[in-house]
């Protein structure tokens, strides 16, 4: 028997946490918001979700099969991409548009750059922006049946009473559109999710339930979402034009894709910084950009463009936030860079 020690190449730390496990947890965390989207918007939302998932998985399988690459559909990354894309689409989106978006996300943004771990921006958000630019009218069409809700105050206790019937939604703007036009919105409705919007962004409480699951499972940390939401809140209070109006701030936090983006897309392992300080810088930049797009831009939203733009800055952010190794002076580390 040899006395030599056989040492494998680094890294030597082994973990049971695989890509498959992480993606599975993300998919599970998205289920509450997805289920509520189906409840709120009906069978059309379910069809959109299933179409995006199926098209994403099939696109990845065909691409890898044709190019004789290892088949990676079993790691659930394509499932998560399809689900995230569906959450960012209106329930009125036709099937062909869901397929186009899914193919664009998987083939163009993910696979052409080397597959999982090599894409430079979030595939689902890139596909959403592509569809928004190409089919603006359809991407902003929220004229679908939703559940009516009325709120009343009794002895200072707010209670929500859901109507027994679903009524045709009027061709009105989303809550953020109403806010941009100077109107008032019901924050409780926005928190519960009984408003207009894309399939997965309307219910703040469902998104927060999923986020709590990811935090509990340690799939994500609170560093990026906390910095993102905190910077955005400060920006809104300073530049929002409503002073310290907490109702307006709450509406901005609950509205649009802010919570969905902060917890599920800005925290993407591939397209976010790996350094602790870099994650904080990344989150702050996201908050500022989202605030700029919402307050000073022509659109009431801005989360998708903010995240994609900051995805492009990740290499630079990581370079300037690399921790100084123990025993090396900061001056020497700076010269080495």
């Amino acid at each position: 028997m040899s006395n030599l020690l056989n040492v494998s190449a680094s890294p030597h730390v082994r973990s049971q946490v695989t890509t498959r496990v992480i993606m599975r947890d993300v998919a599970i965390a998205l289920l509450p918001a997805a289920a509520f989207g189906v409840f709120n918007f009906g069978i059309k939302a379910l069809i959109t979700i299933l179409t995006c998932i199926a098209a994403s998985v099939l696109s990845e399988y065909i691409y890898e099969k044709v190019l004789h690459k290892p088949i990676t559909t079993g790691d659930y990354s394509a499932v998560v991409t399809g689900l995230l894309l569906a959450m960012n689409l209106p329930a009125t989106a036709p099937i062909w548009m869901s397929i186009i978006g899914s193919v664009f996300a998987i083939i163009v943004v993910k696979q052409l750059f080397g597959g999982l771990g090599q894409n430079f921006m979030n595939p689902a958000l890139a596909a959403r922006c592509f569809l928004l630019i190409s089919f603006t009218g359809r991407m902003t069409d929220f004229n679908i049946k939703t559940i009516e809700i009325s709120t009343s105050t009794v002895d200072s206790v707010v209670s929500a009473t859901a109507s027994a019937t679903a009524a045709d939604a009027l061709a009105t703007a989303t809550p953020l559109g109403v806010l941009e036009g100077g109107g008032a919105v019901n924050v409780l409705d926005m928190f519960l999710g009984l408003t207009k919007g894309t399939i997965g962004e309307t219910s703040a409480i469902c998104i927060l339930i999923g986020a709590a699951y990811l935090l509990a499972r340690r799939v994500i940390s609170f560093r990026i979402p906390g910095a993102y939401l905190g910077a955005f809140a400060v920006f809104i209070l300073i530049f929002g034009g409503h002073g310290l109006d907490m109702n307006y701030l709450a509406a901005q936090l609950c509205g649009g894709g802010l919570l969905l983006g902060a917890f599920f897309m800005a925290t993407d392992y591939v397209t976010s910084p790996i350094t602790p300080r870099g994650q904080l810088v990344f989150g702050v930049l996201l908050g500022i950009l989202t605030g700029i797009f919402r307050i000073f831009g022509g659109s009431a939203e801005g989360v998708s463009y903010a995240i994609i733009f900051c995805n492009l800055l990740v290499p630079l952010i990581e370079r300037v936030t690399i921790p100084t190794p123990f025993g090396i002076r900061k001056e020497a580390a700076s010269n080495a860079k």
Side-chain angles (χ1 to χ4, degrees):
M1 184 175 179
S2 175
N3 293 324
L4 296 177
L5 297 177
N6 295 318
V7 180
S8 63
S10 62
H12 304 298
V13 177
R14 297 291 185 265
S15 172
Q16 298 298 319
V17 180
T18 62
T19 300
R20 180 186 177 93
V21 172
I22 292 172
M23 292 296 123
R24 182 197 64 194
D25 283 338
V26 174
I28 292 173
L30 286 168
L31 287 180
F36 186 85
V38 174
F39 166 76
N40 198 20
F41 298 112
I43 191 65
K44 288 186 177 181
L46 179 60
I47 293 174
T48 299
I49 292 173
L50 295 178
T51 301
C52 287
I53 293 176
S56 295
V57 174
L58 190 60
S59 297
E60 182 157 294
Y61 177 82
I62 292 175
Y63 180 89
E64 292 173 339
K65 193 71 173 177
V66 170
L67 296 184
H68 305 289
K69 293 188 174 184
I71 305 300
T72 59
T73 52
D75 62 12
Y76 295 141
S77 61
V79 173
V80 170
T81 297
L83 183 53
L84 280 173
L85 174 59
M87 303 279 273
N88 282 278
L89 295 179
T92 56
I95 292 178
W96 60 264
M97 198 166 77
S98 300
I99 295 175
I100 290 176
S102 301
V103 172
F104 181 87
I106 296 297
I107 303 298
V108 178
V109 184
K110 183 182 178 183
Q111 292 296 340
L112 289 183
F113 287 89
L116 183 65
Q118 304 298 319
N119 48 284
F120 64 97
M121 65 175 63
N122 187 286
L125 280 184
R128 180 185 187 275
C129 292
F130 167 73
L131 293 176
L132 188 60
I133 293 172
S134 304
F135 313 105
T136 305
R138 291 183 178 272
M139 285 292 289
T140 54
D141 178 14
F142 304 108
N143 187 19
I144 194 171
K145 291 181 178 181
T146 55
I147 303 299
E148 287 187 335
I149 188 170
S150 60
T151 55
S152 59
T153 304
V154 179
D155 296 331
S156 301
V157 177
V158 179
S159 61
T161 305
S163 174
T165 59
D168 286 332
L170 298 177
T172 56
T174 61
L176 286 183
V178 174
L179 284 176
E180 187 180 36
V185 296
N186 190 312
V187 177
L188 179 59
D189 285 1
M190 297 177 69
F191 185 73
L192 295 175
L194 302 172
T195 60
K196 289 178 176 293
T198 63
I199 293 173
E201 72 178 17
T202 57
S203 178
I205 188 172
C206 289
I207 295 172
L208 291 176
I209 290 172
Y213 174 81
L214 291 182
L215 291 169
R217 293 279 295 171
R218 297 188 177 181
V219 174
I220 65 172
S221 72
F222 192 67
R223 194 175 287 115
I224 291 177
Y228 188 174
L229 298 176
F232 176 77
V234 172
F235 188 95
I236 291 299
L237 291 175
I238 295 175
F239 300 104
H242 290 74
L244 298 178
D245 187 349
M246 293 297 108
N247 189 73
Y248 178 78
L249 175 61
Q252 285 285 357
L253 289 172
C254 292
L258 181 61
L259 294 178
L260 184 65
F263 287 103
F264 289 95
M265 288 175 282
T267 54
D268 177 27
Y269 286 10
V270 180
T271 58
S272 62
I274 60 174
T275 61
R277 285 189 301 167
Q279 291 175 352
L280 293 175
V281 172
F282 183 71
V284 170
L285 287 176
L286 285 171
I288 294 174
L289 281 177
T290 303
I292 291 175
F293 289 144
R294 282 195 180 182
I295 301 302
F296 302 110
S299 171
E301 189 50 278
V303 173
S304 299
Y305 293 113
I307 294 178
I308 284 181
F309 183 80
C310 287
N311 286 160
L312 302 178
L313 298 178
V314 166
L316 177 62
I317 294 173
E318 289 182 335
R319 181 173 181 178
V320 300
T321 58
I322 296 176
T324 303
F326 180 76
I328 298 180
R329 293 190 305 175
K330 292 184 178 181
E331 295 81 358
S334 299
N335 293 333
K337 293 179 183 178

